[in-house]
Amino acid sequence: MNPMLENIPPELRALPQWVCAGSDKIPVNPRTGQRADPANPATGGTFAEAVQAGMKHVGFILGASDPFAVIDLDNPFERNVRGVKSEIKEGDEDFPEALDTAKRHSKIYEAFQTYAELSQSGKGVHLVMKGAIPAGVRRDKVEIYASQRYIIFTGNVLRNAPVVDCQPLLSNLFNQIGRLVDETGELIEEEPILEDAEVWAMATRATNAEKFISLCNGEWQGLGYPSQSEADYALLSMLAFYTRSNEQARRMFRQTHLANRAKATRNDVYLNRSLRRIRAREAPLVDISGLALVQPDLPGLAEELPDPLALNVPPPPAPEQFGDIPAPLPVQTGNPFGEYTFPPGLVGEVAEYIFSSAIRPVKEIALAASLALCAGIAARSYNVSGTGLNQYIIILARTGRGKEGAATGIDNLVAALRQTIPMADNFIGPAAFASGQALVKVLDSRPCFVSVLGEFGLTLQQICDPQAPGPLVMLRRVLLDIYAKSGFNKVLRSSVYSDSDKNTRIVQAPNVTLLGESTPDTFFNGLDTSHIAEGLIPRFSIIEYKGNRPPPNPNAFQPPADDLVARLGQFVTVAVTTQQNHTVCPVRLEPEAKRELDGLNDEADRRINATGSEVEAELWNRAHLKGLKIAALIAAGCNPHAPTITGDLAKWATGFVRREIGGIMERFASGEVGNGEAKQEAELRRLFRHFQALSPEQRKAYRCPEGLLDRQVVPFQFFNVYSRRLACFKNDRRGAGRSLSETLATMVKAEILEMIPLNQLQTEFKTRSPIYYPGPAW
C-alpha cells in the first residue's frame, strides 16, 4: 500500500464509502468489482477493501448522511499554494488571469484552516472539512461538493491539520460562487433595443453610476479590483446589464479608456470569454405574454381594498383562500349543529350558569370552563375504554372579550359548594407550575384536579420549545405522561434526583385537567409545525371566540341556583366516594354512540393516511380519544351513577372535535400561524392574491408599468406598502424592510416567486423597481 494513504484523516477512513479506480478514474465498488455510483455511498466499501483492490486510485464518495465536504482548487500555477506545480509562465497571454485566479485560491486556502492534500495530478488542492451545502458548485476553477460526488484521495499532505467544521465559511463561499455556471456555451447574438446614447444615459443615472464612470475613464486602481482584468469584467457586466446585444456591449466597452490593452481590441476572444460568463449568470428574459392575468374568484375583493393612494391605511382584509393544492379530504371547520351549543346534563347546566353570570357572556368561554370544572371533579372517578376523563383546554379570545368569566364562574360555583362540601376545594389545583416535579408533588396529595392558568399561550410555547430550560422540559414530559396515564389501572412512576427534595412517588391514575387562556395573536404567532409535531399541543382542545366584545351583562355575578349547586354537589360526592373507596365507574356506550365514535376514528385514519401535512396528521391522531373522553364526561354529568354515552351525546362530542381541529387547520391553511419565515411567506402570498384583484388604476399607484397592468405580476412597491403594517414584518427584529427583502429573496430561491430581470425592466418598461410573478413552486 502507498504509505501516504495512511495520512488520510481517520474519520474518513472509518466510513464504508470508499471506492477504487484505474487510470480512467471510473469508480469501482471494491467489494463487487462492479462500477460504483458516485451519488450512492452504499456502493462503496471499506478503506481497507479499496486499498487491497490494488488499483491506481482510491476515492471517497461524499454523501448527504456524512458530515464532510471538499473544496477542489484546480489551478496549475505556482503562486496558488506552496507545492503546486506551474504550467503557466509570466509573459503568456493568460498570465494576468491566471495570476488573479491564483490569488483568489490562496485566500481560500488560507481561510479554511483544515486538512489539505495535493490532488493526484500534483497541480490541484483538496481541502477537506465538515460542512454542508445545498448542491455542488464550480466557478473560476473552484469546486465545492458535499454529496453525489467521489473524490480521489492521495494522502499527499499539504497541510497536516484535523478535519474541522467550516460551516460558516463554507456557506459564505458557496453563496459567492452561486449556481453552476456554463462558461463554454456559445454566445447568442441579438440586435440592440436601445441606442448607444440611451445605454450611456441609463448607466450614468444608476446607483452605481460613479463606479461606472470611473471604469469608463480607466480609473480602476482605487476601486478595490486586484487587477485590470477584474475591472474589465466589471465594466463589461454593467454594459451587458443594459443591452442584450453582445456586439453593442463590445463596441461600447472599446469606446472607454479601459480598453487600452491589445487583448481587448485585436479580436473578440478576450471579451467573449467574459461575456459567456456574464450571460451564463443572467436570468433569462421573461415572456411577458405568458403572464396573462387570471382574475381570482373573489367577488367584491377589489372594492374592499383600501385606497392605494392613501399610504396610511390599515392592512387589507384577509381574502378567502383559493388556488392552493386541495387536501385529499376537505377540512371540516363547522360544528354540524352550527354555532357552539351547550350539551345536555350537568355540563350544559354549569355552562349556562357561567354564561349567564359573566360580565361579558361568551358561549365558548362558558363551555370551556364547564368542561374543565366537571373534568377536574370527576375525571378520575370514571373510565371509558381504559382512560380517565381529564381534559386539556385552551380558550382563545382577544383582550376584553370576557375570558376572565371562566375563572370567575368556577370560583363562584366552588364557593357555593364549600358551604356543604368543604372538600370541593381539593379539586381546584395551583394556578401555575414551576416544573414537572412540582406538578407531580401536587398529584401525590390530589390525584384529580383542574388548574386554571392565565396567559397560558406563551407558557405553552415555552414548554414546547426545543431550547426550553430543564424545569420546563420536565413539565412537558410530565404533561405528556399523565395525559396517557389517566386510566385507573395506570400509574405515573416515581422519579429520584440527587436532590432528595425533588424526589417524587408513584401516583395512581393521575388526572390533571388544564384550562388555559390566551389571545389568538399570542398563541398562534408563536406557534409553528414543530410545536404541533412535539405532541403536547395536539392533546389540547382549542376553543376560540372570534366575535366582538359582548355588552355588559346586567345579571353579572348572580349566585348559582340552589338546585344547580345540589346537583353539582352530588357529582362531587360521587367523586370523593370513589377516591376514598379506590374504585372507578365505567362509562358504557350505546351501539349508536359506538358507530358515531368509530366513524370519527375512521375519518381520522383516512385523513392521516391521505395527508402529507405533519400538522394535520398530529391533530387528527387524537381525535377519537378526545371525542370519547368528552362524550363520557357529558354522560357522567347526565347520570353520575350509571353513565351511558348515547348516540346524541356522541354526535355532540364528535362535532365538537371536528370543529376544534378544523379551526386550527384553517389557521395553518391561511398562513395565520407563526411569526417567522413561514408566516411572512404566507402573508406575501396573500398580498399577491390581493393585487390580482386590483383595477388598472389602482395598480398604477404601485408603480406597475403600463405594459404589465394586465399581467399576473406584483411590483415590489405593493409588498413594501402593506407588509409594513403586518405584525410578522413590523415586529421582526431585522426590521420591516430587511425582513421583507430577505423573505422575497428566499421565495425567489425556492422558485415560489420569480423576478423579471432588472435589465429587462429597465430596457422594456423603464423601471428599476423589482416586479415579481408566480414561480413553478407557487
Side-chain angles (χ1 to χ4, degrees), residues 43-67:
T43 61
T46 66
F47 176 76
E49 289 170 336
V51 171
Q52 291 167 6
M55 299 185 74
K56 183 176 181 179
H57 303 298
V58 296
F60 181 82
I61 300 179
L62 294 165
S65 60
D66 67 62

Side-chain angles (χ1 to χ4, degrees), residues 404-659:
E404 68 283 352
T408 302
I410 290 174
D411 288 344
N412 290 343
L413 287 165
V414 174
L417 287 170
R418 190 181 298 125
Q419 300 175 22
T420 56
I421 310 177
M423 292 184 67
D425 277 314
N426 290 341
F427 294 105
I428 304 300
F433 303 104
S435 66
Q437 295 93 331
L439 172 55
V440 176
K441 283 184 177 294
V442 175
L443 282 167
D444 188 33
S445 58
R446 283 184 283 176
C448 184
F449 62 83
V450 57
S451 281
V452 181
L453 309 169
E455 298 299 333
F456 187 59
L458 185 58
T459 302
L460 189 57
Q461 292 162 20
Q462 292 171 343
I463 291 173
C464 296
D465 194 301
Q467 305 302 320
L472 291 184
V473 171
M474 185 61 184
L475 180 57
R476 180 177 71 227
R477 290 176 181 169
V478 171
L479 289 174
L480 287 167
D481 209 9
I482 59 179
Y483 188 87
K485 294 186 176 178
S486 60
F488 197 72
N489 293 323
K490 298 179 180 178
V491 295
L492 181 66
R493 296 293 176 185
S494 60
S495 299
V496 179
Y497 298 87
S498 56
D499 182 355
S500 59
D501 290 339
K502 295 181 179 180
N503 293 350
T504 61
R505 296 192 293 183
I506 291 176
V507 179
Q508 180 188 3
N511 272 264
V512 174
T513 290
L514 302 178
L515 177 61
E517 58 94 352
S518 183
T519 63
D521 286 346
T522 299
F523 182 72
F524 286 116
N525 283 353
L527 191 64
D528 60 33
T529 55
S530 68
H531 295 135
I532 298 295
E534 189 274 339
L536 180 58
I537 287 177
R539 287 167 166 80
F540 279 82
S541 295
I542 300 172
I543 303 175
E544 183 176 4
Y545 171 63
K546 298 182 179 180
N548 295 324
R549 187 182 191 188
N553 178 12
N555 299 316
F557 303 115
Q558 61 178 324
D562 292 342
D563 58 344
L564 174 60
V565 174
R567 283 194 293 277
L568 191 58
Q570 293 174 3
F571 202 51
V572 173
T573 301
V574 171
V576 171
T577 302
T578 55
Q579 286 196 30
Q580 291 175 342
N581 295 336
H582 299 286
T583 58
V584 66
C585 179
V587 180
R588 296 190 310 108
L589 280 81
E590 289 186 350
E592 184 181 351
K594 187 177 186 306
R595 284 193 297 272
E596 177 68 26
L597 288 161
D598 285 349
L600 179 64
N601 196 34
D602 291 342
E603 180 181 355
D605 288 345
R606 293 197 308 273
R607 291 181 179 276
I608 291 170
N609 292 332
T611 185
S613 166
E614 187 177 12
V615 171
E616 186 171 5
E618 278 293 334
L619 292 174
W620 279 99
N621 189 35
R622 291 172 183 83
H624 177 257
L625 180 59
K626 283 184 179 180
L628 191 65
K629 292 172 73 166
I630 289 173
L633 181 62
I634 299 169
C638 292
N639 186 346
H641 300 288
T644 300
I645 302 175
T646 64
D648 287 343
L649 298 186
K651 287 180 181 177
W652 192 96
T654 55
F656 175 90
V657 171
R658 288 188 178 100
R659 180 189 183 101

Side-chain angles (χ1 to χ4, degrees), residues 746-763:
T746 299
M747 293 176 74
V748 169
K749 281 185 179 180
E751 296 187 322
I752 297 168
L753 291 176
E754 300 276 10
M755 286 179 61
I756 298 177
L758 291 180
N759 58 342
Q760 185 178 3
L761 288 175
Q762 293 203 55
T763 55

Side-chain angles (χ1 to χ4, degrees), residues 20-28 55-58 150 152:
C20 45
S23 300
D24 56 7
K25 299 184 182 178
I26 295 175
V28 174
M55 299 185 74
K56 183 176 181 179
H57 303 298
V58 296
Y150 98 97
I152 290 177

Side-chain angles (χ1 to χ4, degrees), residues 32 43 84 92 116 137 193 345 397 402 427 458 496 554 641 655 692-693:
T32 66
T43 61
V84 179
D92 292 349
V137 291
I193 297 176
F427 294 105
L458 185 58
V496 179
H641 300 288
Q692 307 315 298

